[in-house]
Amino acid sequence: MKFTVGDFVTRKSYKHDVLFKINSITNDNAILHGVEMRLVADAPLEDLEKVEERDLKKKERLGKEREEFSYRLFRQDYQFMKDKRTLQSDAAYPSLPLFRLPIKVLHVDGDVTYLKKCIDLYKRIGIQAHGIHMNEKEMPVQIRSLIRKIQPEILVVTGHDSFSSKKGTKKDLGAYRNSSYFIETVREARREIPNVDQLIIFAGACQSHFESLIRAGANFASSPARINIHALDPVYIVAKIAYTPFMEKVNVWETLKNTFTGERGMGGIETRGVHRTGMPYFWDEA
């Protein structure tokens, strides 16, 4: 069977568990990028099987249904937080119009397709996000200048990653495709802004070295159980932080429960929210 760049495929040896798109082909091997999962893999062409158009549409429909279900869960969570803030604000500032101070998210992504999906979801959720597509190797070099330029409250550093048992154990950073770049990017970001509540960082992708990312200074990271994470998981982490009042801690479990992969794919430390309200709001009268 002939394969070309852009074909949608699965791997026979992994029982067709993940849908991939062929990114490049060299001799008899292909570099694969996950369609939903932030996974990069290489595989011999003989291990690949093309996904027929009918099956592809079915997978896309199921993927959309999962995304919509997760979005509805977030909306319910957001409405609860909004109602709680309204009650607190009414008690503290009766009859006074309030405004919300917008936050900025800097989302640096190694995959342009994932980045577009994330930016679309940020807009849908009502979060201002600056999306930058960049190769994972370039991230440590560029991140400090980007932080100075954008001045975000939340930083997302993600893209592709994978663990290979052929290259070492799970403790060995050399066994990961891009974890070392994510780790160094987090370290550089912390050299710029050391306070974990002044700049909140999510870092990692599929199967990333979770412990090292947290030690480097990330508030949230992937992947504790070295499993694949969904392309949109970082957005739901950001959303929970963005809509939690700054005087409250972001409950780690509450943050993870609306993600696609949960506590096996994501983890983090106690972190303050960044949502701030102000008063009074009379600007419409000008």
Side-chain angles (χ1 to χ4, degrees):
M1 181 178 291
K2 185 177 180 181
F3 294 95
T4 59
V5 172
D7 283 346
F8 292 94
V9 298
T10 56
R11 295 176 295 179
K12 300 172 188 174
S13 59
Y14 285 81
K15 298 181 180 178
H16 311 283
D17 59 340
V18 176
L19 176 64
F20 290 96
K21 192 174 185 178
I22 296 179
N23 185 64
S24 63
I25 298 175
T26 304
N27 298 324
D28 293 326
N29 285 277
I31 300 296
L32 311 173
H33 287 181
V35 174
E36 289 187 342
M37 301 297 179
R38 289 185 170 276
L39 180 67
V40 59
D42 50 77
L45 294 179
E46 63 185 18
D47 189 37
L48 303 182
E49 184 173 299
K50 283 187 181 181
V51 178
E52 299 298 329
E53 186 69 22
R54 181 181 61 183
D55 294 331
L56 180 61
K57 288 183 178 179
K58 182 180 178 181
K59 287 179 180 291
E60 288 177 344
R61 178 174 55 80
L62 291 174
K64 285 287 185 183
E65 288 175 358
R66 288 179 62 208
E67 290 174 13
E68 284 300 315
F69 178 72
S70 189
Y71 175 73
R72 287 196 300 272
L73 287 178
F74 166 76
R75 292 297 302 179
Q76 292 172 8
D77 200 24
Y78 166 68
Q79 191 61 47
F80 173 78
M81 290 188 289
K82 183 179 179 181
D83 292 343
K84 180 181 176 181
R85 287 197 308 271
T86 300
L87 288 173
Q88 292 172 339
S89 298
D90 288 346
Y93 307 107
S95 304
L96 287 173
L98 306 178
F99 61 89
R100 170 177 172 255
L101 195 64
I103 67 154
K104 285 183 284 187
V105 175
L106 171 58
H107 183 119
V108 184
D109 206 313
D111 187 286
V112 68
T113 303
Y114 294 161
L115 177 61
K116 184 181 183 305
K117 286 184 176 182
C118 288
I119 293 299
D120 289 344
L121 185 55
Y122 284 125
K123 290 178 180 178
R124 194 175 178 190
I125 289 172
I127 294 174
Q128 179 185 356
H130 298 262
I132 306 290
H133 173 233
M134 184 180 297
N135 186 281
E136 289 84 354
K137 294 180 181 179
E138 299 175 10
M139 293 178 183
V141 179
Q142 301 290 337
I143 197 61
R144 294 185 73 172
S145 62
L146 287 171
I147 290 172
R148 294 188 199 114
K149 180 180 179 181
I150 306 299
Q151 297 185 349
E153 285 80 20
I154 303 175
L155 169 65
V156 175
V157 179
T158 187
H160 300 107
D161 208 355
S162 61
F163 164 73
S164 174
S165 59
K166 296 177 182 178
K167 297 180 180 179
T169 68
K170 289 183 179 180
K171 294 182 179 180
D172 184 4
L173 275 177
Y176 296 80
R177 189 178 294 266
N178 286 320
S179 285
S180 60
Y181 301 120
F182 295 142
I183 291 163
E184 191 55 37
T185 302
V186 173
R187 286 187 182 134
E188 288 297 320
R190 284 290 171 232
R191 290 187 180 105
E192 190 68 24
I193 302 179
N195 191 312
V196 295
D197 288 317
Q198 187 179 350
L199 176 66
I200 298 168
I201 301 175
F202 169 87
C206 282
Q207 304 175 12
S208 292
H209 200 293
F210 170 77
E211 299 89 339
S212 292
L213 287 165
I214 294 295
R215 285 197 295 268
N219 300 69
F220 289 86
S222 61
S223 164
R226 305 302 192 264
I227 66 171
N228 298 333
I229 71 167
H230 194 275
L232 299 178
D233 274 341
V235 179
Y236 287 111
I237 295 286
V238 169
K240 183 68 174 181
I241 298 164
Y243 286 111
T244 298
F246 84 101
M247 290 298 287
E248 296 181 13
K249 291 178 182 177
V250 177
N251 182 289
V252 177
W253 167 243
E254 289 292 320
T255 305
L256 301 179
K257 73 177 184 180
N258 287 346
T259 63
F260 290 91
T261 44
E263 74 278 5
R264 288 179 56 79
M266 322 282 282
I269 61 172
E270 288 184 326
T271 300
R272 288 193 180 277
V274 297
H275 187 279
R276 293 175 184 264
T277 53
M279 54 73 65
Y281 184 82
F282 294 130
W283 302 334
D284 290 341
E285 297 180 4

